[in-house]
């Protein structure tokens, strides 16, 4: 059954033309989407990076002058350090509170509910997340302001209490942000908690571990990936938020987000705004880079 | 009935040579099994024959006609996938009639052909079901009906039974054999299960690292393996290696005699002996005097009981392990630690390429 | 333990829905100053009908959301097809490039678009909003539709081809029908993403031409008007409905494909 090994060359090469055509198909499939992303995301980001090194926006006949001044803003304008710190504080408080409130909720969702009711509760938790953030922030103003729902409820219980207004304060910003981002934390922690094998817990129980020990030694470590990815997913957008501080914080709410917004819509100092935005982007990238080393790819993909 | 030929097929994936100029001939109307471990290239060869993969070199011929550049959808092959690949959004009827419609067969003719195919796989009455409403075995039958209904030039099966449990698999082997005979299609069957290859196939081709190492009827391959790989992949074997002397091979444990023609004196040679061909001599009986060509002292190390047969593992004087298979006919099996004498005929020592 | 867990969960859900409930309640409250207790009225909904800027913003929002969905869905689906089904170098890099539009704060992307569009003369307005929204929606579409493709085995198409289907026929008769639920889900999602988008719209809209969220933001900053509650309530109902349909569809897609 050994047959001659020679194959006509022409035929062998005709079957090789298919990959070349396939490459064109692949390129044609990818080009529109990635072309669009390039035009609308990647080129703008590059342009803004370029702007951040300019002395002034290159409109009219103004000459292009390169400078590092904008990145030195934190040194030249010390109040920016305070603003940045406010942003980080808001980020830490929001992330911390979300973790504190969200983790138990996720564990309760994963372990104390079953079947249909679990599905419904899960949907109830994630649904507000998909409703308009602006609308939800606005609705908090009606709860927190003087004469608002909170004030009203308080006076139903204690009629003599002084009027309460949380609106336009640091706590108001944090409450609004926790409300906005809590579903993220519950979602990521739930995915971790739901993956915990009942057998682990039963094994620990059979070895004599009591509930607090089981929580500390088994549930918590296994939920950690969810907790970390949830924290990143919250911290990153929160330090870039600007409408929540504006609406709920009023004059208190001066953050990096509102500073950047101001440079673009009020002060028209685009190079400074660009530099501030890229400083923030740098922080975000560092956070992602660090977390991608700490976390398995699966968690980030979610 | 179509004669299928693969001529020096070569295929590499990312620098790994999966098929190394493989040539094979598949006789018309017969069921040939491609047997090999995973990574041996058996599925790739099947996919090249079917036109699912273009080879880097070589050609495929159906009845002498070169079909290498004929695309999959015009090659007219029937394929049964490991996962069955039934169309989940179509009924059984729609799945089976799909290929007929693609070939321009419609209406009453198509309906009759479909009914005939479903009858052949014994699924008459299941036409309106969807794949997810069928058991694994039934899905398998639908896949088979779908593949044979168009009367393809060659029927290809890619480990079609591996997803079924053991009982169902044995049933389906018999069914498959019947359907293949009834349809008379030239059939190529990929498996890694040696037992399946032996029971199903008219002919077996053993693949190892992208090459066919031996091809022939199952009985011939089993009784006369040509290489150590063929001997150990299809069934079990004990190997004896040594230097050729006058009348046999001098091994560490004595001279082994074979009826095969030995190479020149002084050369190295290896023979394979199937476990069931070796026998433990019963010291008490007249057996001792019986004319076996080969004898060997060994110590029993372990006995694995499996109902009809037992596997006995032994150690010979030089420490090498020997495996024998014995019918549980005699009342007594030796105990571990017992010293016994093994005997076997020179006719059962098959000379192989080591 | 279990009862405690459930109670806690219900408390969290109450927290999540409290402000929303308040807003809906206020939309039906007669008082313009949000005074309690509530006196039921539909006057704010009625007032919407004569609020021209709000109506025009609503029309813009729906228009852009529909256009975004119509453009981003085929573009994203094509890219997903290539990313899932084709072997080529740089595939993982292209996948990675889907993340920036999702992961980088919108504030940064929005301002970058503003800078770039202004600089290149694309300018602001409806067309700029559309360019931005489509870019934001594409990565989501690729991810959703790609997940739908992953549950579809590639050998279904091979099976069809071995039965005589050309690759194009195999795609339309086998892959597309099975893929459709996730494509529809992705289209809905793209619609919802665009409808809810505020930050980017904020930077790309002009005083005359804006979307509903931008208009709402402007009203909030100008001062309170209960009309915002009414329009927000409607808005909320629409986006919740979209998401519920999406959840149903994507679940169905998963169920069908996995069998």
């Amino acid at each position: 059954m050994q047959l001659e090994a020679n194959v006509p060359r022409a035929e062998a090469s005709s079957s090789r033309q298919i990959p070349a055509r396939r490459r064109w198909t692949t390129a044609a499939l990818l080009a529109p989407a990635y072309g669009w992303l390039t035009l609308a995301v990647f080129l703008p980001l590059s342009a803004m990076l370029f702007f951040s090194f300019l002395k002034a926006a290159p409109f009219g006949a103004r000459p292009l002058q390169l400078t590092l001044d904008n990145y030195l803003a934190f040194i030249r304008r010390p109040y920016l350090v305070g603003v940045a710190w406010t942003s980080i504080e808001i980020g830490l408080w929001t992330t911390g509170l979300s973790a504190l409130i969200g983790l138990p909720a996720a564990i309760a969702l994963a372990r104390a509910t079953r079947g249909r009711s679990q599905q419904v509760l899960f949907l109830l938790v994630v649904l507000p997340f998909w409703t308009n953030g602006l609308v939800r922030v606005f609705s908090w103003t009606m709860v927190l302001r003087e004469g608002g729902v909170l004030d009203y409820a308080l006076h139903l219980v204690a009629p003599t209490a002084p009027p309460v207004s949380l609106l336009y304060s640091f706590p108001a910003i944090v409450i609004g942000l926790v409300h906005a981002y809590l579903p993220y934390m519950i979602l990521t922690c739930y995915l971790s908690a739901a993956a915990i094998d009942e057998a682990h817990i039963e094994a620990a129980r059979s070895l004599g571990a009591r509930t607090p020990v089981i929580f500390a030694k088994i549930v918590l470590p296994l939920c950690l990936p969810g907790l970390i990815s949830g924290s990143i997913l919250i911290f990153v957008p929160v330090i870039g938020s600007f409408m929540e501080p504006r609406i709920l914080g009023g004059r208190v709410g001066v953050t990096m987000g509102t500073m950047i917004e101001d440079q673009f819509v009020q002060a028209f100092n685009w190079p400074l705004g660009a530099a501030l935005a890229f400083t923030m982007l740098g922080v975000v990238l560092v956070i992602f880079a660090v977390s991608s080393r700490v976390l398995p790819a699966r968690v980030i993909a979610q | 009935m179509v004669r299928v030929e693969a001529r020096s097929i070569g295929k590499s994936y990312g620098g790994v040579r999966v098929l190394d100029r493989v040539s094979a001939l598949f006789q018309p109307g017969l069921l040939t099994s491609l047997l090999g471990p995973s990574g041996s290239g058996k599925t790739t060869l099947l996919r090249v024959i079917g036109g699912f993969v273009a080879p880097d070199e070589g050609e495929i011929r159906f009845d002498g006609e070169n079909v290498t550049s004929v695309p999959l959808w015009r090659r007219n092959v029937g394929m049964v996938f490991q996962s069955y690949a039934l169309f989940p959004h179509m009924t059984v009827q729609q799945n089976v009639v799909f290929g007929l419609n693609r070939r321009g067969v419609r209406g009453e003719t198509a309906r009759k052909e479909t009914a005939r195919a479903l009858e052949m796989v014994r699924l008459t009455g299941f036409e309106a079901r969807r794949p997810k409403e069928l058991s694994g075995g039934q899905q398998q039958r639908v896949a088979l009906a779908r593949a044979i209904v168009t009367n393809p030039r060659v029927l290809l099966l890619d480990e079609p039974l591996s997803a079924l449990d053991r009982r169902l698999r044995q049933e389906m082997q018999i069914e498959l054999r019947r359907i293949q005979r009834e349809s008379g299609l030239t059939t190529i069957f990929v498996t890694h299960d040696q037992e399946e290859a032996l029971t199903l196939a008219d002919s077996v081709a053993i693949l190892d690292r992208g090459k066919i190492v031996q091809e022939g009827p199952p009985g011939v391959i089993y009784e006369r393996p040509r290489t150590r790989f063929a001997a150990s992949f299809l069934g079990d074997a004990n190997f004896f290696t040594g230097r050729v002397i006058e009348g046999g091979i001098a091994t560490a444990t004595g001279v082994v005699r074979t009826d095969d023609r030995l190479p020149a004196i002084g050369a190295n040679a290896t023979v394979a002996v199937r476990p069931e061909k070796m026998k433990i001599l019963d010291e008490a009986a007249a057996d001792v005097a019986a004319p076996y060509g080969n004898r060997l002292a060994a110590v029993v190390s372990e006995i694995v009981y499996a109902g009809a047969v037992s596997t006995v593992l032994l150690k010979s004087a030089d420490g090498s392990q020997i495996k024998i298979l014995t019918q549980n006919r005699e009342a007594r099996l030796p105990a571990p630690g017992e010293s016994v004498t093994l005997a076997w005929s020179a006719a059962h020592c098959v000379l192989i390429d080591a | 333990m279990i009862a405690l867990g459930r109670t806690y969960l219900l408390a969290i859900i109450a927290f999540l829905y409290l402000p929303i409930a308040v807003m809906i309640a206020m939309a039906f409250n007669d008082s313009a100053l949000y005074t309690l207790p509530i006196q039921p009225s539909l006057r704010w909904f009625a007032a919407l009908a004569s609020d021209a800027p709000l109506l025009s913003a609503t029309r813009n929002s729906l228009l852009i959301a529909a256009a975004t969905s119509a453009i981003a869905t085929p573009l994203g689906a094509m890219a997903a097809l290539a990313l899932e089904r084709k072997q080529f170098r740089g595939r993982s890099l292209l996948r990675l490039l889907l993340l920036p539009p999702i992961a980088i704060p919108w504030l940064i992307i929005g301002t970058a678009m503003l800078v770039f569009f202004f600089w290149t003369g694309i300018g602001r307005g409806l067309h700029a909003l559309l360019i931005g929204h489509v870019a934001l929606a594409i990565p989501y579409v690729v991810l959703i539709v790609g997940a739908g493709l992953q549950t579809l085995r590639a050998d279904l198409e091979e099976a069809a081809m071995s039965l005589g289907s050309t690759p194009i026929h195999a795609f339309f008769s086998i892959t597309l029908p099975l893929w459709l639920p996730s494509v529809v889900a992705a289209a809905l999602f793209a619609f919802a993403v665009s409808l809810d988008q505020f930050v980017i719209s904020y930077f790309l809209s002009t005083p005359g031409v804006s979307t509903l969220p931008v208009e709402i933001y402007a009203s909030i900053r100008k001062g309170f008007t209960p009309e915002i509650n009414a329009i927000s309530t409607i808005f909320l109902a629409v986006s919740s409905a979209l998401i519920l349909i999406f959840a149903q569809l994507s679940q169905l897609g998963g169920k069908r494909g996995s069998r």
Side-chain angles (χ1 to χ4, degrees), chain B residues 73, chain C residues 157 161 165-174:
Chain B
W73 52 95
Chain C
E157 261 183 44
M161 284 193 264
S165 280
T166 58
I168 290 169
H169 181 271
F171 177 79
F172 282 103
S173 67
I174 305 299

Side-chain angles (χ1 to χ4, degrees), chain C:
Chain C
M1 254 334 256
I2 288 196
L4 186 70
R6 287 184 188 163
T7 314
Y8 179 72
L9 207 52
L10 290 177
I12 294 294
I13 287 171
F15 166 70
L16 288 175
Y17 285 87
L18 167 76
I20 297 173
V22 168
M23 194 193 65
I24 295 172
M26 289 300 178
F28 291 98
N29 189 1
D30 192 59
S31 161
L33 296 167
Y34 308 145
T35 47
L36 294 165
I38 285 167
Q39 281 154 342
S41 156
L42 286 175
R43 61 182 276 211
W44 305 116
F45 288 92
L48 283 181
S50 55
D51 189 332
L54 216 52
L55 285 181
S56 120
T58 307
R59 209 171 36 240
N60 287 341
S61 271
L62 291 173
L63 199 70
I64 290 176
T68 297
S69 178
I71 297 172
T73 308
L75 258 53
M78 282 158 61
L81 211 54
L83 290 174
E84 290 298 328
R85 287 290 163 88
K86 309 277 181 190
Q87 301 288 333
F88 58 92
R89 220 174 295 168
R91 201 162 64 150
S92 44
L93 175 71
L94 286 186
R95 271 183 216 276
L96 212 61
L97 283 180
L98 293 172
L99 292 181
I102 297 177
I104 295 177
W106 284 333
L107 172 66
I108 297 178
I109 294 187
T111 51
M113 284 177 178
L114 172 65
V115 166
F116 182 72
F117 290 178
F118 210 87
W119 195 29
T120 53
I122 295 173
R124 295 181 293 169
L126 281 188
H127 62 292
L129 285 171
L130 185 62
I131 295 175
H133 283 201
V134 170
L136 279 198
I138 283 174
Y140 290 109
V141 172
V142 174
L143 293 179
I144 293 167
V145 160
L149 267 185
Q150 274 170 3
T151 63
L152 268 181
R153 300 185 51 105
D155 56 12
L156 290 178
E157 261 183 44
E158 284 190 340
M161 284 193 264
S162 75
L163 293 166
S165 280
T166 58
I168 290 169
H169 181 271
F171 177 79
F172 282 103
S173 67
I174 305 299
T175 305
L176 199 57
L178 292 169
W179 193 25
L180 214 55
S182 65
V183 175
V184 174
L188 272 178
F189 201 92
F191 190 89
V193 163
S194 167
L195 200 63
D196 281 348
Q197 178 55 45
F198 160 66
V199 179
I200 283 173
S201 309
Y202 174 65
F203 288 109
L204 296 182
S205 59
T206 57
V209 183
S210 64
T211 62
L212 189 52
V214 177
E215 202 59 38
I216 292 175
Y217 183 68
S219 306
I220 294 170
R221 300 210 62 195
K222 259 182 261 162
F224 297 85
T225 141
E227 275 175 51
I228 304 173
N229 291 331
I231 190 78
S232 298
T233 302
I234 297 173
F235 194 14
L236 218 58
V238 171
S239 54
S240 307
L242 281 178
I243 290 309
L244 285 175
I245 297 170
F246 166 76
Q248 195 65 22
L249 271 176
S250 53
Q251 195 181 22
L252 276 181
K255 268 184 194 164
R256 269 174 81 171
S258 63
R259 284 210 178 106

Side-chain angles (χ1 to χ4, degrees), chain A residues 1 3-8 11-12 14-16, chain B residues 5 7-8 21 23-24 55-56 58-59 66 215:
Chain A
M1 59 166 266
L3 297 162
E4 65 280 357
N6 292 330
V7 182
E11 282 190 31
S14 78
S15 72
R16 260 185 228 118
Chain B
E5 250 180 280
R7 293 196 186 179
S8 59
R21 299 202 156 203
S23 294
D56 297 337
E59 54 183 50
N66 185 351
E215 190 193 21

Side-chain angles (χ1 to χ4, degrees), chain A residues 23-43:
Chain A
R23 261 202 296 281
W24 280 110
T25 319
T26 307
L29 286 173
L30 290 166
Y34 281 91
W36 199 294
L37 286 179
T38 306
L39 174 73
V41 177
F42 302 123
L43 282 179

Side-chain angles (χ1 to χ4, degrees), chain A residues 20 89 92 102 114-115 131 176 180 220 262 280 301:
Chain A
E89 249 184 331
L92 291 176
R114 296 247 173 282
T131 60
L220 201 57
D262 276 343
M280 201 162 83

Side-chain angles (χ1 to χ4, degrees), chain B residues 1-22:
Chain B
M1 287 194 247
V2 177
R3 201 174 91 119
V4 176
E5 250 180 280
R7 293 196 186 179
S8 59
I9 299 292
K11 180 74 193 174
S12 299
Y13 283 115
V16 181
R17 198 125 175 89
V18 182
L19 290 178
D20 193 4
R21 299 202 156 203
V22 172

Side-chain angles (χ1 to χ4, degrees), chain A residues 15-293:
Chain A
S15 72
R16 260 185 228 118
Q17 281 169 359
I18 299 167
R21 220 178 61 200
R22 273 200 200 130
R23 261 202 296 281
W24 280 110
T25 319
T26 307
L29 286 173
L30 290 166
Y34 281 91
W36 199 294
L37 286 179
T38 306
L39 174 73
V41 177
F42 302 123
L43 282 179
L45 285 173
S46 317
M48 193 154 79
L49 184 63
F50 174 61
F51 266 54
S52 69
F53 292 105
L54 293 180
K55 228 181 178 76
F59 299 128
R62 267 180 280 179
L64 294 179
Q65 266 187 298
L66 294 177
T67 175
L68 279 174
D69 278 1
N70 299 313
Y71 285 94
L72 299 174
F74 283 96
I75 297 165
R76 302 267 168 82
R77 307 176 194 201
Y79 70 94
L80 277 178
V81 177
V83 173
W85 177 240
T86 309
S87 291
I88 291 170
E89 249 184 331
I90 290 174
L92 291 176
W93 271 100
T94 306
T95 310
L97 282 175
S98 296
L100 216 58
I101 300 169
L103 180 65
I107 293 171
L109 186 60
R111 310 212 64 85
T113 62
R114 296 247 173 282
R116 186 101 193 108
S117 65
Q118 187 174 37
Q119 282 179 0
V120 171
L121 286 171
F122 182 79
L123 208 59
L124 277 177
V125 168
V126 296
L127 189 62
F129 182 66
W130 292 114
T131 60
N132 192 277
L134 186 62
V135 169
R136 282 186 292 148
V137 170
F138 172 60
S139 61
W140 273 106
T141 62
M142 287 177 284
V143 176
L144 297 175
R145 75 196 196 97
E146 193 177 328
V149 176
L150 198 69
D151 199 11
Y152 184 77
L154 186 71
H155 284 94
L156 282 183
V157 182
T160 56
V164 184
S165 171
L166 279 177
L167 195 58
Y168 307 134
S169 69
F170 187 87
I173 302 173
V174 173
I175 289 173
L177 286 168
V178 167
H179 181 255
Y181 291 102
L182 183 61
Y184 259 147
M185 184 62 82
I186 298 181
L187 191 66
T188 55
C189 289
Y190 169 78
L191 293 174
S192 295
I196 296 175
D197 195 344
E198 188 65 37
H200 286 323
I201 291 171
E202 272 165 18
R205 195 152 280 160
S206 74
L207 292 169
R210 278 177 303 146
T211 306
V213 177
I214 288 174
F215 181 80
K217 296 274 171 188
I218 296 173
V219 178
L220 201 57
L222 288 173
C223 283
L224 206 59
L227 208 55
I228 295 173
S229 56
S231 300
I232 294 158
L233 287 177
I234 292 175
F235 190 78
V236 168
V238 162
I239 59 169
S241 63
F242 75 92
M243 71 178 185
E244 293 90 346
R246 277 244 194 277
I247 297 173
L248 296 172
R251 248 174 301 146
V252 184
V254 179
T255 63
M256 284 302 282
T258 63
M259 278 301 295
I260 294 170
E261 185 210 349
D262 276 343
Q263 301 314 313
F264 285 96
V265 299
Q266 304 281 335
F268 291 107
N269 188 349
W270 289 11
L272 177 62
L276 292 178
F278 269 95
T279 309
M280 201 162 83
L281 188 58
V283 174
V284 169
L285 288 179
V286 167
I287 291 170
F288 273 119
V290 169
S291 61
S292 70
R293 268 167 219 285

